[in-house]
């Protein structure tokens, strides 16, 4: 069977054809077999007009049969199996209902067969699926079944012409049937986005309503944006319905949310504003939808477009008054830009006298609860103006202002007190006493001013001794014992495979080893059954007969599972076990390789009778192993007459808690085992600082020098330890000083996986040194995030604390991402609670990072403010008192220094700090009202006041 092209095709048409089985051009001009052309845009118009028989200018295709006769089911199946999708519409035309039913059953069988093909046949599978997509659509008689077929994820293609081919085979159906299919497809978001043309075509001429769904609306925005946007929007009857839906969507389509190089978002805003002016879309509805969308909140990218629309299509005065409650809600809970817009709207209403007093008080309370200084200052200025015009509102508004007395920012406290003082005479006695009571929330620096304002109404100040508030020391979290049954193990492995953490991985691996030791064949059989669809089950293909699934590493438990199932070649396992850590490797590569070698060793030994359990499985959530627990495991090996696996034992020694109170007792019991493993454990437990590293930095150079970014300047040098290189396998020799301390980037530079922290849970200083370069890009760069996760385990781990730990904390406090900074604050406070924090060293490291502009002061200010707000004022003061002197002594003060001084002053006032701070007096005695000068004076006064009190008490 082949196809004959009626009237011929111009050569240019072949540039846009969908060629199936005709790679070199039209039939009869080279290439194998017949083919069908689809010129996309002409076909769309032809389908929409219902003229699929005659598509003009050489676009009609006449199918005919060869010597075999008519075109039946076999011809259709042959074309589908060959992936000739373009032939399918013509082949379907000759089939009656019975033939289509027969063909559908066989198409379903073929679809199931294609699903079982491996990736090596993906090109062939893609062609067959395209043909299946069209053929199945044409053979289904029920609308629900047809829609289900057309939305099959395995059949969907990115090729637009597939939808046009499907449209050709469906356009002869009843209008209601097509509308039902279209609405079913539109209801599936991922399907509707890519099938917009098909859905739109099915709806053509049906009279059915426009499907207002997210997927269809996204597809519409992409299609209609091609060309002159305003004209196309104006001409499209769908515009009013779909614009209303787009404005209400939780996630605004990309073309409207992002500016893009062509300014697409602005083009859309301008076009819709013009349509609202013309009355094509309802202006009041646009306003209502935009206000509702902003009120619901969300990501800034999703709020940018409705906010821009409100600025281009502003509400009328009446609409502004009718939505007062909405504006107040935005000022309290909206993003900064949304709150700023709503504040401006309410400001206009307040100044013209149309904002009720209660609403103004509510607005004020909401704004003053925020942290953005610009909004706070604007609100306090507005309160002054409104109360100056209408003093009668003071009794209602000033209590809301007084709530700012407890604000974290002392500058906000001061401004709020000034507002209250200015309008206090307009309130009666009860309100005055209420305001005086709220003044107890003010910081110590504002107490004298509050006494002047409130006089006798202000109660006596309580002089309680300062008490540092730190989080409780975390209780140890012990991991559960071995997995019970094989069924439970398989469930754990499936969970771990999808989303498990480091400890889930360790427990699943240990359970696999234990069960395989008892019944290797039984466990292997369950693995083959449970992981039947795993990629490593595929042995070979036509493209790669000797495929190596683990060429790039063991991929967690995958290599062990594949080894049990007999799907890993022994050569690959041996190669994985015998790999070494090059002396030029980065520390991250060294950690990865060491952990990979452990997995390969397990894959080699599992179920062989010599590995009854893993010595290196952590017993605590930090990755640590309790010494007596490791002795118990070694005793089990000794009782069975087995020697530990070298790498497994090496990992266990790295994880054992050498500073645990039971360490000496464990060492004695280990010696009594009389085994080589027991002797090594005893010696290791009694060693002092067996692993160390020194961290240095290259001086910062110019940007072009290669020594500008922190990641290019960090030098981590492992201290040479002969014991490590003599008694540990080669996988661990890098810990004994075999790595060259080169400062360089690596492909791990923005990765800090949790499993790294579990490699060295008993050596926090060494672990911190290994983490530094991966965290550096989150400090002086703008892309890295989620890098401080291991700090929690580090803070709760064991081992000495020195310069490297101080550095990772300093890096964490200055990270770009707020969540990273919050995790660093948590780690800092836990270390402080455990008595392991060298706060002064953290401050000194922050000083040089800030001085060389590698760290932004506003990020440190945010972290320091967060830590202080927990009650750790003394800890934060110690850090800042070490960080500030070099910055204060600099010839040109850095931007943001005033904010750091404000936090330092607050901490000094609350914890009663005294003494001198180098460089502070110069700024405290300077003239001016800048934040730097104001806060320097405040800090100077706080330190001097405490010093005077100490002198008085001594005398």
């Amino acid at each position: 069977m082949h196809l004959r092209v009626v009237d011929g095709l111009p050569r240019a048409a072949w540039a846009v054809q969908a060629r199936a089985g005709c790679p070199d051009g039209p039939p009869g001009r080279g290439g194998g077999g017949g083919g069908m052309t689809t010129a996309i845009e002409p076909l769309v118009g032809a389908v929409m007009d219902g003229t699929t028989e005659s598509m003009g200018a050489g676009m009609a295709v006449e199918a005919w049969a060869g010597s075999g006769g008519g075109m039946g089911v076999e011809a259709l199946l042959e074309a589908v199996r060959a992936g000739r999708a373009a032939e399918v519409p013509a082949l379907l035309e000759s089939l009656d209902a019975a033939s289509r039913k027969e063909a559908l059953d066989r198409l379903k069988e073929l679809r199931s067969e294609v699903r079982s093909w491996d990736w090596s046949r993906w090109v062939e599978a893609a062609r067959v699926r395209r043909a299946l997509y069209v053929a199945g659509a044409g053979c289904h008689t029920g609308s629900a079944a047809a829609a289900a077929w057309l939305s099959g994820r395995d059949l969907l293609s990115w090729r637009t012409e597939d939808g046009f081919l499907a449209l050709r085979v469906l356009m002869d159906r009843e209008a209601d049937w097509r509308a039902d299919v279209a609405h079913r497809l539109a209801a599936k978001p991922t399907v509707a986005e890519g099938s917009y043309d098909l859905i739109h075509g099915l709806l053509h001429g049906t009279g059915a309503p426009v499907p207002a769904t997210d997927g269809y609306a996204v597809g519409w925005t992409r299609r209609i944006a091609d060309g002159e946007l305003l004209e196309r929007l104006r001409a499209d009857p769908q515009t009013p319905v779909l614009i209303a839906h787009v404005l209400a969507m939780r996630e605004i389509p990309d073309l409207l949310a992002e500016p893009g190089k062509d300014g697409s978002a602005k083009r859309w805003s301008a076009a819709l504003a013009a349509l609202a002016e013309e009355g094509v879309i309802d202006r009041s509805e646009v306003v209502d939808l935009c206000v509702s969308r902003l009120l619901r909140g969300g990501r800034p990218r999703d709020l940018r477009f409705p906010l821009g629309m409100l600025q281009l299509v502003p509400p009328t005065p009446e609409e502004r008054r009718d939505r007062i409650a909405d504006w107040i809600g935005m000022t309290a809970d909206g993003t900064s830009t949304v709150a700023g817009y709503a504040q401006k709207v309410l400001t206009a209403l307040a100044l013209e006298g149309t904002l009720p007093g209660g609403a103004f008080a509510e607005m004020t309370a909401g704004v003053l609860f925020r942290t953005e200084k610009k909004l706070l200052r604007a609100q306090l200025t507005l309160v002054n103006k409104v109360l100056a015009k209408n003093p009668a509102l003071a009794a209602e508004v000033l209590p809301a202002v007084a709530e700012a007395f407890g604000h974290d920012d002392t500058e906000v406290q001061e401004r709020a007190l000034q507002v209250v003082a200015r309008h206090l005479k307009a309130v009666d006695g009860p309100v005055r006493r209420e305001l005086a009571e709220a003044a107890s929330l003010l910081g110590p620096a504002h107490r004298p001013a509050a006494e002047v304002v409130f006089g006798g109404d202000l109660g006596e100040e309580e002089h309680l001794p300062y008490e540092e508030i730190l989080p409780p020391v975390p209780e140890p979290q012990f991991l559960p014992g071995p997995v019970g049954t094989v069924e439970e193990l398989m469930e754990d492995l499936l969970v771990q495979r999808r989303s498990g953490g480091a400890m889930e991985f360790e427990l699943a691996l240990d359970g696999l080893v234990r069960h395989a030791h008892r019944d290797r064949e039984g466990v292997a059989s369950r693995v083959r059954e449970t992981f039947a669809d795993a990629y490593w089950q595929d042995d070979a293909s036509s493209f790669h007969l000797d495929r190596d699934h683990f060429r790039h590493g063991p991929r967690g438990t995958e290599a062990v599972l594949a080894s049990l199932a007999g799907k890993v070649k022994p050569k690959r396992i041996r190669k994985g076990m015998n790999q070494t850590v090059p002396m030029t490797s980065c520390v991250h590569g060294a950690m990865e390789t060491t952990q990979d070698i452990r997995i390969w060793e397990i894959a080699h030994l599992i179920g062989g009778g010599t590995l009854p359990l893993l010595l290196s499985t952590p017993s605590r959530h930090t990755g640590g192993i309790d010494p007596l627990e490791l002795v118990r495991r070694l005793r089990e090996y000794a009782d069975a007459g087995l020697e530990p696996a070298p790498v497994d034992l090496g990992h266990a020694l790295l994880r054992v808690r050498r500073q645990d109170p039971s360490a000496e007792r464990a060492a004695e019991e280990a010696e009594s085992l009389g085994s080589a493993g027991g002797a090594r454990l005893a010696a290791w437990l009694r060693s002092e600082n067996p692993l160390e590293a020194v961290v240095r930095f290259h001086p910062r150079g110019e940007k072009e020098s290669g020594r500008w970014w922190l990641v290019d300047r960090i030098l981590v040098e492992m201290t040479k330890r002969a014991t490590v290189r003599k008694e540990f396998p080669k996988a661990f020799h890098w810990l004994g000083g075999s790595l060259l301390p080169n400062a360089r980037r690596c492909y791990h530079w923005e990765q800090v996986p949790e499993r790294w922290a579990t490699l060295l849970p008993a050596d926090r200083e060494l672990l911190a040194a290994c983490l530094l370069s991966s965290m550096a890009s989150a400090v002086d760069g703008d892309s890295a995030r989620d890098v401080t996760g291991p700090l929690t385990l580090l803070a709760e781990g064991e081992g000495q604390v020195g310069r490297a730990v101080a550095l990772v904390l300093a890096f964490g406090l200055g990270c770009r991402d707020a969540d990273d900074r919050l995790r660093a604050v948590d780690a800092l406070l836990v270390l402080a609670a455990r008595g392991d924090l060298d706060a002064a060293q953290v401050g000194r490291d922050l000083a040089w990072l800030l001085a060389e502009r590698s760290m932004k002061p506003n990020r440190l200010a945010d972290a320091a403010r967060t830590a202080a707000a927990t009650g750790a004022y003394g800890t934060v003061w110690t850090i800042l008192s070490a960080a500030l002197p070099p910055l204060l002594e600099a010839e040109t003060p850095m931007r943001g220094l005033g904010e750091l001084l404000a936090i330092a002053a607050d901490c000094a006032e609350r914890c009663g700090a005294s003494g001198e701070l180098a460089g502070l007096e110069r700024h405290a005695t300077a003239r001016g009202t800048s934040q730097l000068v104001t806060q320097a004076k405040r800090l100077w006064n706080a330190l001097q006041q405490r010093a005077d009190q100490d002198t008085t008490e001594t005398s």
Side-chain angles (χ1 to χ4, degrees), residues 363-492:
M363 170 204 180
T364 300
V367 173
L368 295 182
F369 191 74
R370 301 180 67 97
T371 58
E372 299 93 333
K373 289 185 178 180
K374 183 178 179 181
L375 297 178
L376 296 170
R377 291 169 181 165
Q379 191 64 30
L380 291 173
T381 300
L382 176 62
V383 169
N384 269 329
K385 292 180 179 179
V386 171
L387 294 186
K389 282 187 174 183
N390 189 359
L393 295 177
E396 201 168 7
V397 176
L398 288 184
V401 174
E403 293 181 18
F405 290 168
H407 200 279
D408 292 338
D409 192 329
T410 55
E411 184 182 350
V412 174
Q413 295 181 14
E414 181 180 7
R415 285 175 176 265
L417 181 59
Q418 291 171 353
V419 171
V420 170
R422 182 173 301 176
H423 304 283
L424 189 62
K425 60 182 180 294
V427 301
D428 56 16
V431 175
R432 181 187 178 92
R433 286 190 291 274
E434 179 186 349
L435 296 173
E437 185 178 347
S440 63
L441 299 173
L442 291 166
H446 303 308
R447 177 74 187 187
E451 290 176 348
V452 173
V453 173
F454 295 106
D457 291 329
L458 191 66
E460 290 292 328
E461 184 179 10
E462 294 186 34
H463 295 281
L464 299 175
Y466 173 73
E467 181 178 353
E468 184 86 346
I469 300 175
L470 294 170
V473 176
E475 294 291 331
Q477 299 178 34
F478 297 98
L479 299 184
V483 180
T485 65
V486 177
E487 289 75 15
E488 292 173 335
L489 172 63
M490 293 300 119
E491 290 179 7
D492 289 350

Side-chain angles (χ1 to χ4, degrees), residues 304-378:
R304 196 177 298 126
F305 183 74
L307 181 59
M309 285 301 304
L310 276 183
Q311 292 166 338
L312 289 175
V313 187
T316 63
E318 184 180 356
E319 288 172 332
R320 289 198 298 268
R321 290 192 295 271
D322 289 344
R323 291 175 171 82
I324 286 176
D326 294 338
W327 308 128
I328 291 175
M330 291 180 205
T331 58
D333 302 320
T335 61
S336 292
T337 52
V338 172
Y341 171 79
Q343 187 183 42
K344 289 179 181 178
V345 173
L346 291 171
T347 296
L349 294 176
L351 293 178
E352 68 186 25
T354 56
L355 184 65
F360 184 55
E362 184 181 356
M363 170 204 180
T364 300
V367 173
L368 295 182
F369 191 74
R370 301 180 67 97
T371 58
E372 299 93 333
K373 289 185 178 180
K374 183 178 179 181
L375 297 178
L376 296 170
R377 291 169 181 165

Side-chain angles (χ1 to χ4, degrees), residues 828-865:
L828 181 142
L829 295 178
V830 167
L831 284 168
R834 298 182 69 184
D836 294 335
L837 177 66
D838 187 347
Q841 183 59 54
V842 174
R844 288 191 290 271
D845 283 317
L846 286 169
W848 68 262
L849 287 167
L850 290 165
E852 69 171 22
R853 303 295 196 269
S854 288
M855 181 182 291
K856 294 184 178 180
N858 63 318
R859 296 176 183 173
L860 173 60
D862 175 72
R865 188 181 298 109

Side-chain angles (χ1 to χ4, degrees), residues 476-665:
Q477 299 178 34
F478 297 98
L479 299 184
V483 180
T485 65
V486 177
E487 289 75 15
E488 292 173 335
L489 172 63
M490 293 300 119
E491 290 179 7
D492 289 350
L493 284 166
L494 285 171
V495 171
Q496 189 279 323
R497 195 176 186 228
R498 289 193 296 268
S499 58
M503 292 302 101
E504 288 79 6
F505 166 80
E506 293 288 349
L507 293 174
L509 193 61
D510 181 58
L512 196 59
V513 167
R514 290 173 182 268
H515 281 285
H517 181 69
R518 293 192 289 266
D519 181 12
R520 178 190 172 99
E521 289 306 316
V523 174
S525 176
R526 291 303 303 271
V527 166
R528 294 189 194 98
E529 177 185 341
T530 304
F531 300 94
D533 61 343
Y535 59 89
W536 40 261
Q537 294 278 20
D538 182 23
D539 293 315
S541 72
S542 57
F543 288 154
H544 198 160
L545 298 176
D546 188 26
R547 187 183 311 165
D548 184 356
H549 293 291
F550 301 101
R551 180 176 52 202
H552 301 297
R555 303 184 182 184
T557 58
E558 299 294 315
V560 180
L561 293 169
S563 176
L564 270 175
K567 297 294 183 178
V568 187
K569 292 181 173 58
K571 181 174 68 173
R572 165 50 59 200
I573 296 178
R574 288 194 301 272
K575 189 172 182 179
M577 289 175 59
N578 295 328
Q579 63 184 311
T580 57
V581 179
M583 62 187 303
T584 57
S585 174
C586 62
V587 291
H588 316 114
M591 286 192 287
E592 290 281 1
T593 302
T594 301
Q595 292 177 321
D596 286 352
I597 293 173
R598 175 191 178 219
I599 301 301
W600 285 121
E601 181 185 75
I602 296 170
H604 173 64
L605 297 175
I606 189 168
T610 61
L611 196 67
L613 55 87
L614 291 179
L615 295 173
S616 54
T617 302
S619 60
R620 299 196 181 203
H621 77 287
T622 59
I625 303 176
D626 288 280
L628 291 174
E629 171 61 21
L630 185 53
V631 172
R632 187 192 66 75
R633 295 174 187 175
L634 283 169
R635 183 177 293 112
E636 192 168 333
Y637 268 82
D639 293 345
L642 299 174
E643 287 296 324
V647 178
D648 184 35
L649 177 58
H651 272 275
L653 294 179
L654 291 184
R655 287 174 166 173
V656 71
R657 294 162 49 86
R658 299 190 307 274
Q659 295 183 348
D660 193 271
S662 65
E664 181 55 37
R665 176 188 163 193

Side-chain angles (χ1 to χ4, degrees), residues 42-90:
L43 178 57
V44 175
V47 172
M48 295 302 183
D49 295 336
T51 56
T52 54
E53 291 299 326
S54 174
M55 289 179 277
M59 294 305 299
V61 178
E62 177 185 323
W64 63 282
S67 57
M71 299 176 60
V73 174
E74 293 300 330
L76 175 65
L77 266 294
E78 178 189 347
V80 172
R81 187 171 284 278
R84 300 194 296 272
E87 298 179 13
V88 171

